[in-house]
Amino acid sequence: MKEIDIRPASEADFDAMWPIFQEILATGDKFPFEDGSREACHAYWFGPAAKTFVAVLNGGRLLAMYKLVQNQAGRGAHVASASYMVSPAAQGVGVGKLLGRHSLEQARRDGFLAMQFNYVVSTNVGAVVLWKKLGFEVAGTLPKAYRHQKLGYVDAYVMYRLLDDPNEWRQ
Amino acid sequence: MKEIDIRPASEADFDAMWPIFQEILATGDKFPFEDGSREACHAYWFGPAAKTFVAVLNGGRLLAMYKLVQNQAGRGAHVASASYMVSPAAQGVGVGKLLGRHSLEQARRDGFLAMQFNYVVSTNVGAVVLWKKLGFEVAGTLPKAYRHQKLGYVDAYVMYRLLDDPNEWRQ
């Protein structure tokens, strides 16, 4: 029986995180930054302000990771943001949904009142559909804001949800 | 005759920028961060990625400043963002509009294809009206994303415009 556990990331996870980071960036269709180096990966996942979690299969293979951050300082510090990467080899089996729910629970537990994604590539349909399922709305469309590796300039979405009704993501 | 000149900021401007920064933050109705220290001010206006300009009256008094940045790295690096502060003593006389136009021209000259404001406080009506005049649209509304000093949680806007038609801000 397969079991997926989500737990805080540690330095020991880094060697398994880096190849996923590289694979995801190489697609050129989800994230803005293009530098897939070890240093860039480490700064991204273990930077000072990030709270990072990993999804692990049967206590072994690392499938995915996400990080939770404040989207703004001070007067905007009650809004969280998060970023997710699922290993291409583990896509399509619901890991993203597990991470999404976990991050919403975590954000709520940490006292955040809302969650905002600043930059969801509109052609990343899997992500857009998943976030809608978890109660997010497209708060705004940013015309041609993403230079997609294959499609050229495409729109990006700002997605947002308040965290006042957890039933919306728990079902 | 009064003349307002906009030019690149230098370290020599810093002593005049700091009090404006402090005054603006003290209002608690425009910016998220609340730390008005010299260090925070310097990091904000002279950080590595910022291109900062000041508006100066008759070659003397510093009235306002703005900075231009990339809104995202890599695949989002063609979208600029900017941030503006006008001295409370110089508000209502059109300095913001001068800065806004200057920043749009500068962004276009620097090769950006669009300009995005990530976090315009909805109750900052002066700013919202000005950006609309300069061709920006409210791309999205972020419910309760700003903790206003007097009003509590209020919405923030994401505002956006493509830079393909400069006539829209030059008139």
Side-chain angles (χ1 to χ4, degrees):
Chain A
M1 172 149 172
K2 294 195 175 182
E3 210 170 312
I4 293 172
D5 184 40
I6 300 177
R7 57 158 175 78
S10 74
E11 283 289 341
D13 296 313
F14 183 65
D15 282 344
M17 294 165 77
W18 186 38
I20 298 175
F21 184 81
Q22 289 176 290
E23 283 183 283
I24 297 283
L25 291 206
T27 64
D29 61 6
K30 293 181 189 70
F31 283 82
F33 38 90
E34 298 174 285
D35 175 5
S37 69
R38 271 187 80 88
E39 294 67 32
C41 179
H42 195 274
Y44 190 73
W45 291 105
F46 293 98
K51 200 163 179 176
T52 299
F53 294 83
V54 291
V56 172
L57 182 65
N58 295 330
R61 189 157 75 93
L62 196 151
L63 303 179
M65 56 262 196
Y66 84 84
K67 68 172 180 178
L68 195 65
V69 297
Q70 275 184 8
N71 198 48
Q72 298 278 356
R75 300 191 165 280
H78 57 288
V79 180
S81 188
S83 173
Y84 310 77
M85 286 189 183
V86 177
S87 165
Q91 274 169 17
V93 296
V95 181
K97 194 170 183 180
L98 285 177
L99 287 192
R101 278 185 179 153
H102 190 279
S103 63
L104 287 164
E105 295 288 341
Q106 185 68 44
R108 199 173 144 92
R109 203 175 309 132
D110 290 350
F112 289 107
L113 304 183
M115 175 92 94
Q116 177 174 340
F117 301 141
N118 294 294
Y119 200 59
V120 180
V121 181
S122 61
T123 52
N124 186 2
V125 177
V128 175
V129 167
L130 172 58
W131 303 139
K132 285 184 177 172
K133 267 187 198 158
L134 294 180
F136 284 82
E137 288 181 5
V138 173
T141 299
L142 309 170
K144 301 183 184 181
Y146 187 77
R147 185 171 49 78
H148 189 288
Q149 195 173 78
K150 293 204 184 78
L151 305 173
Y153 295 111
V154 299
D155 298 349
Y157 296 141
V158 178
M159 300 190 76
Y160 194 92
R161 69 154 298 155
L162 295 171
L163 300 180
D164 46 1
D165 185 1
N167 291 322
E168 287 175 19
W169 69 75
R170 283 178 186 160
Q171 61 195 335
Chain B
M1 170 151 173
K2 294 194 175 183
E3 209 170 312
I4 294 172
D5 185 39
I6 300 176
R7 57 158 175 79
S10 74
E11 283 289 340
D13 296 313
F14 183 64
D15 283 342
M17 294 166 76
W18 187 37
I20 298 175
F21 184 80
Q22 289 176 291
E23 283 182 284
I24 297 283
L25 291 207
T27 64
D29 61 6
K30 292 182 189 70
F31 283 83
F33 38 90
E34 298 174 284
D35 175 5
S37 69
R38 271 186 81 90
E39 294 67 31
C41 179
H42 196 273
Y44 190 73
W45 292 106
F46 293 98
K51 201 163 180 175
T52 299
F53 294 83
V54 291
V56 172
L57 181 66
N58 296 330
R61 189 157 75 94
L62 197 151
L63 302 179
M65 55 262 198
Y66 84 85
K67 68 173 181 179
L68 195 66
V69 297
Q70 275 185 7
N71 198 48
Q72 298 278 354
R75 301 190 165 280
H78 58 288
V79 180
S81 188
S83 173
Y84 311 76
M85 286 188 183
V86 177
S87 165
Q91 274 169 18
V93 296
V95 181
K97 195 171 184 179
L98 286 177
L99 287 191
R101 277 184 179 152
H102 191 279
S103 63
L104 287 164
E105 295 289 339
Q106 184 68 43
R108 199 174 144 92
R109 203 174 309 134
D110 290 350
F112 288 107
L113 303 183
M115 175 92 93
Q116 178 174 340
F117 301 141
N118 295 293
Y119 199 58
V120 180
V121 180
S122 60
T123 52
N124 186 1
V125 177
V128 174
V129 168
L130 172 58
W131 302 138
K132 284 184 178 172
K133 266 187 201 160
L134 294 180
F136 285 82
E137 289 180 4
V138 173
T141 300
L142 310 169
K144 301 182 185 181
Y146 187 78
R147 185 172 49 79
H148 190 287
Q149 194 174 77
K150 293 206 184 78
L151 305 172
Y153 294 111
V154 299
D155 297 350
Y157 296 141
V158 178
M159 300 190 75
Y160 194 91
R161 69 153 299 156
L162 294 171
L163 300 180
D164 45 1
D165 185 2
N167 291 323
E168 288 176 19
W169 68 76
R170 281 177 189 162
Q171 60 194 335

